[in-house]
Amino acid sequence: MSTPSVDAHVRLDTHPTHPSAVTATLTGPQAHIPHTGLEADGWQAVAENVLVLARIDHEEPYWAEQAAQQLAADGITVEITPRLQEAIDEEWTWANYPMPWCTRTEIREVSDSAQKIHDDIRHGRLLIHAHAQDGHTAVAVGTYLDTGKSVYLHGENHLRQIANTFDSPAQALTAFEDMHADTMRPGPAPMTDTERAATEARTSPGTPPTKPEPSSAGAGTAPALVTAGAHEALFASFVEDHGEWEKYRTWSDEASVANHESLTLRAEFDHEARDRDIAWTIASYQSPVGERTWHATATAGTPTDMIETLLKSLDTDTAWTERTSAPLTERTLTTVTRPLTEFGWTQTINGHHINWPAPNGETGLRLDVAAAVGATIAHSEPAWTLWGGKSAEQPTWTIDFSRHTPAAVLQDLTYELALADSARTTQAPNSQRHRYGAVRTTAPAAPSQPASAHPARSR
């Protein structure tokens, strides 16, 4: 008995701006039939008759092929573009995979289990009560709302697993607190960059973005420059939205200060700063009366997206990280620059400076190696500088960081910098990078077992 034909056409293609994600464009009078089937399999509608498959395990091409086979079996015409077919046929494996005994099929099964946990959290089926850091590994505890089963989760992204189960949330939380009282925090952990990239892919249309209109601030620098009023509003909203921060005026009306309730983090905003004046000063301290561990400054022309990312990073555990070892290590350098290299930025060396300029040269990251290793006499010299403008030597705006700044805080900023440049140039990652996404590293020290692995080609 032959399968009845469905008057619908499904075109599967790689996502135009997000690594490894796949789009499905539906046409035909009965397009609603494949639409329903794809949504049931985890595809998400982003526009009329356009769906996106975005996963945290970078296995979208494989699952797109499985979907194509099922659609064809249901009598639906399916077209797979040549570039997606190339991704489907590509042989690749995870470099430094922490379970090297697994076959490729078994690795995919582990990743799919992690994807199901991620989807359960995202859709509200699994309620996360608390999270913590177990060495260099993320852990969490939560409860499935439909069954009442509580679980202990180990790892993140494609390596997250259910490590233990409990009969009740009370038992789970008690056990979790006994194991992780020092690093335990309420609620779910902040999204990893892999999760963030998947979320962005699911909320963006499946067609290439149109060319952005010129900014009113001028086309010379991007992200676009902002007015002082935007910074004022950002400072006010940050304090209002974060109850653990308290705002007060200094002895001068020119500046306001926000102190964290721990009295170990401080953000100062200069209301009178303009252009390249320092408008923001961030400082972290060992204790309320201890020495300063790291600090950052940002000029008044810094894009608000960059400042907002910096402020949000203060609300994570990594902001309190105290570095007692040498601040510049190979691990630190890799962590900070990973988002840039994954978006295709290349480094240049000029004396004791290492630069990572954007492909269009309008923004970048600079490392002063001498300042980073403490070889300069003036220890106040910044070790890391994010900039926008003509060049690192002629910037329109800068954010400077001291040498002990936690690597994860810096990575938040470099990811935002790379993402903004990619969105501005509307360049999709090329085939050499199409399975990569910036992976958030929450600890600057090198782990004995990687908490996240990167895909590498095996052919």
Side-chain angles (χ1 to χ4, degrees):
M1 181 177 177
S2 61
T3 302
S5 177
V6 178
D7 193 359
H9 180 276
V10 178
R11 183 177 188 269
L12 300 177
D13 195 2
T14 57
H15 195 287
T17 59
H18 290 270
S20 79
V22 176
T23 65
T25 304
L26 317 182
T27 55
Q30 293 182 296
H32 62 281
I33 295 178
H35 193 291
T36 301
L38 290 173
E39 278 195 313
D41 285 340
W43 296 65
Q44 182 161 324
V46 295
E48 185 176 1
N49 285 337
V50 177
L51 298 95
V52 167
L53 179 65
R55 297 169 58 94
I56 59 169
D57 59 1
H58 305 300
E59 293 280 7
E60 293 94 336
Y62 169 82
W63 292 106
E65 183 181 33
Q66 302 305 302
Q69 293 174 358
Q70 182 60 54
L71 291 169
D74 292 337
I76 298 169
T77 302
V78 182
E79 173 193 355
I80 298 177
T81 65
R83 56 184 177 182
L84 176 56
Q85 188 62 55
E86 180 183 358
I88 291 172
D89 296 338
E90 179 186 29
E91 295 182 4
W92 66 279
T93 187
W94 292 98
N96 301 319
Y97 194 76
M99 292 174 277
W101 56 87
C102 290
T103 65
R104 187 68 186 88
T105 299
E106 290 170 336
I107 289 174
R108 185 174 286 124
E109 290 173 353
V110 171
S111 297
D112 194 40
S113 296
Q115 181 68 43
K116 288 181 171 64
I117 295 172
H118 170 75
D119 290 339
D120 286 338
I121 297 172
R122 185 166 64 93
H123 293 299
R125 293 187 290 265
L126 175 55
L127 177 65
I128 300 299
H129 306 303
H131 69 279
Q133 283 296 124
D134 183 13
H136 302 293
T137 303
V139 292
V141 61
T143 298
Y144 281 93
L145 300 182
D146 55 347
T147 65
K149 180 179 72 174
S150 295
V151 293
Y152 173 70
L153 303 176
H154 185 275
E156 60 185 17
N157 296 332
H158 63 288
L159 298 178
R160 183 186 279 145
Q161 302 178 57
I162 296 178
N164 203 355
T165 60
F166 302 87
D167 293 331
S168 70
Q171 290 181 0
L173 279 167
T174 299
F176 194 78
E177 187 171 4
D178 287 344
M179 290 185 289
H180 307 293
D182 292 342
T183 61
M184 181 175 173
R185 295 290 184 273
M191 282 198 301
T192 66
D193 285 340
T194 297
E195 293 171 329
R196 189 183 308 167
T199 299
E200 290 167 353
R202 286 190 296 265
T203 55
S204 62
T207 55
T210 58
K211 184 177 180 180
E213 294 182 3
S215 166
S216 59
T221 301
L225 301 183
V226 294
T227 64
H231 282 242
E232 294 265 7
L234 180 59
F235 181 82
S237 63
F238 174 74
V239 175
E240 182 178 353
D241 295 342
H242 298 78
E244 66 274 24
W245 290 79
E246 182 179 359
K247 173 186 173 182
Y248 66 90
R249 284 277 186 175
T250 63
W251 59 271
S252 169
D253 288 338
E254 295 179 356
S256 292
V257 172
N259 271 340
H260 190 267
E261 59 186 10
S262 66
L263 301 182
T264 59
L265 279 175
R266 171 188 174 102
E268 180 176 330
F269 175 64
D270 186 340
H271 301 272
E272 304 299 323
R274 296 292 183 270
D275 301 326
R276 294 187 60 188
D277 297 338
I278 292 176
W280 298 84
T281 302
I282 310 296
S284 172
Y285 300 87
Q286 290 179 342
S287 69
V289 293
E291 296 291 329
R292 188 171 67 179
T293 57
W294 66 272
H295 65 278
T297 61
T299 58
T302 305
T304 52
D305 286 350
M306 300 298 297
I307 299 296
E308 184 177 14
T309 298
L310 175 57
L311 294 176
K312 286 181 177 178
S313 73
L314 302 182
D315 222 27
T316 64
D317 296 342
T318 54
W320 278 270
T321 302
E322 180 183 351
R323 299 300 304 279
T324 56
S325 58
L328 183 62
T329 64
E330 182 178 353
R331 175 66 176 177
T332 301
L333 190 63
T334 300
T335 299
V336 173
T337 60
R338 179 180 293 145
L340 305 180
T341 57
E342 287 174 350
F343 276 83
W345 297 27
T346 56
Q347 72 177 38
T348 61
I349 299 177
N350 181 14
H352 57 81
H353 288 137
I354 304 177
N355 297 287
W356 290 264
N360 63 11
E362 294 179 354
T363 188
L365 171 71
R366 163 174 282 192
L367 169 63
D368 186 325
V369 178
V373 300
T376 60
I377 298 177
H379 293 294
S380 60
E381 287 293 315
W384 304 89
T385 299
L386 283 82
W387 58 269
K390 293 182 178 179
S391 65
E393 292 75 23
Q394 295 179 291
T396 305
W397 60 266
T398 58
I399 308 179
D400 291 324
F401 295 91
S402 66
R403 66 194 188 105
H404 286 285
T405 303
V409 172
L410 287 162
Q411 190 190 64
D412 282 344
L413 273 294
T414 56
Y415 178 76
E416 179 64 34
L417 197 69
L419 199 63
D421 177 74
S422 177
R424 182 174 68 258
T425 58
T426 66
Q427 291 177 338
N430 61 34
S431 59
Q432 292 297 319
R433 291 179 278 122
H434 102 122
R435 290 195 185 277
Y436 285 76
V439 179
R440 178 79 149 84
T441 305
T442 55
S448 56
Q449 283 284 6
S452 181
H454 293 282
R457 299 174 187 275
S458 59
R459 65 180 181 183

